[in-house]
Amino acid sequence: MADNWELIGKSSTSPRSNTNRAVVSTRVPKTENIIFIGSEYNYDSFWLKNMFIAAAYPFVKDRAKFRICDKVTIAYIDYGYSNAEKLAIENLKNEISSEVKEVKAIKNHSDMINIFKNDRSAYKIQDVAIFSHGLNGKITLNYNKKPDINLLKSDITNISSNSFMLTGKLYSYACRTGMSDAFSLRLTDTFRSIAEAKPDDSLAQSIADHFDIEVHAFYVRSFYGDIIRQKSKKVNNIPISQIITNSLVTKKELIPNSSIINLYDGATEALRPFEALKHRGLAESGFNILGIKSGAVGEGTNGYSLWRKTGGRALPVGATDIDGLPRSMQVFNKK
């Protein structure tokens, strides 16, 4: 039989007749970015009702944080938001350029976990941002209400460790994700060192370790008070909050049944970005009787929530009510 092999160089041989070689290819997975928006019951406030929704806007506009991807999922807790407020969530899609854009309503804990688990053979998670309340050791997406929709360490281990891209990142804008859930720390507001917060035992570190990704989180409480309007701002020496309130009170009388009130009065430029969204039952505390005013009813902001047409003016920052720990977001990597 004739030799069917020929020498190539001095170290390898190849069949002379084999012209159809197998082609080795690597399929690059598509990428998915996820935004979680928690409910807001804690403050019952015209000023703060939409703080989690608004905070998502500057995040998706920041291409360093919210990188280009093939699919975007906007997942919100479907409790406590009016139709007008849900429209603000839906409109977040308009700020995003992506092949697939989905808005999903979360009704329970399983819905939330399934957002992480969904279709990971087709899409790997790239960037996640969570805008929500939080406590030591847990992200409380439906804080102060039932059902409990919390993200815990035990949930993380039930999600495939291969769910994220190798370059994946998660940003938690909830309170204290970077601090241990040790009982002794839950009411502690003064620390002598970072080590006292036990960050290695935190939810942030657990997420980083399990998925081998970069996690950005606060040791301290997060502050959302300036997301929609800057509280300290004044126009002609009048606080912006008072200007907004005066416009709302006037327009509520003129168009009492409007689901969305444009607060711009045609003259005050500081009002141009703002709207009031109808929300029956919101901030109905206090009274206004014979000129004696108290609470949100006395203020005139009851029954509506404040919205900024272009979303939040800034991302949340660390609060100042905890001493001895950095206020900035900290980065956690796999240990």
Side-chain angles (χ1 to χ4, degrees), residues 117-289:
K117 291 182 174 181
N118 183 49
D119 201 17
R120 292 300 151 233
S121 62
Y123 293 92
K124 292 287 189 181
I125 302 172
Q126 178 178 246
D127 297 322
V128 175
I130 303 174
F131 301 95
S132 168
H133 287 295
L135 299 169
N136 298 49
K138 64 177 72 173
I139 294 172
T140 54
L141 287 151
N142 196 32
Y143 183 63
N144 265 355
K145 287 292 179 179
K146 295 294 182 182
D148 289 335
I149 306 177
N150 301 326
L151 183 62
L152 309 170
K153 289 181 183 179
S154 56
D155 296 316
I156 300 304
T157 55
N158 286 323
I159 301 168
S160 170
S161 60
N162 295 318
S163 297
F164 280 78
M165 299 287 291
L166 293 176
T167 57
K169 296 181 182 181
L170 183 145
Y171 296 80
S172 172
Y173 289 92
C175 294
R176 296 191 177 202
T177 307
M179 185 184 294
S180 167
D181 63 348
F183 183 78
S184 61
L185 298 178
R186 294 179 187 178
L187 297 177
T188 301
D189 287 334
T190 301
F191 294 81
R192 291 171 296 181
S193 68
I194 292 174
E196 286 189 347
K198 301 180 180 179
D200 287 352
D201 189 38
S202 67
L203 177 59
Q205 189 61 58
S206 294
I207 295 171
D209 288 343
H210 183 69
F211 296 116
D212 193 6
I213 61 170
E214 188 175 288
V215 176
H216 297 243
F218 293 110
Y219 294 141
V220 299
R221 298 182 182 96
S222 46
F223 176 68
Y224 283 78
D226 283 341
I227 298 295
I228 299 179
R229 58 76 165 96
Q230 187 177 1
K231 294 173 67 176
S232 62
K233 181 177 179 178
K234 293 184 178 182
V235 179
N236 296 327
N237 213 33
I238 302 173
I240 185 63
S241 299
Q242 187 60 54
I243 294 171
I244 290 171
T245 299
N246 292 346
S247 178
L248 175 60
V249 169
T250 299
K251 294 204 170 191
K252 279 169 69 175
E253 294 178 356
L254 294 174
I255 43 175
N257 297 316
S258 178
S259 60
I260 300 176
I261 295 177
N262 183 353
L263 295 178
Y264 180 53
D265 58 5
T268 310
E269 281 300 311
L271 285 172
R272 191 183 288 273
F274 297 109
E275 295 175 330
L277 310 182
K278 187 76 172 178
H279 189 128
R280 297 185 186 279
L282 180 67
E284 293 293 350
S285 61
F287 54 84
N288 185 356
I289 303 174

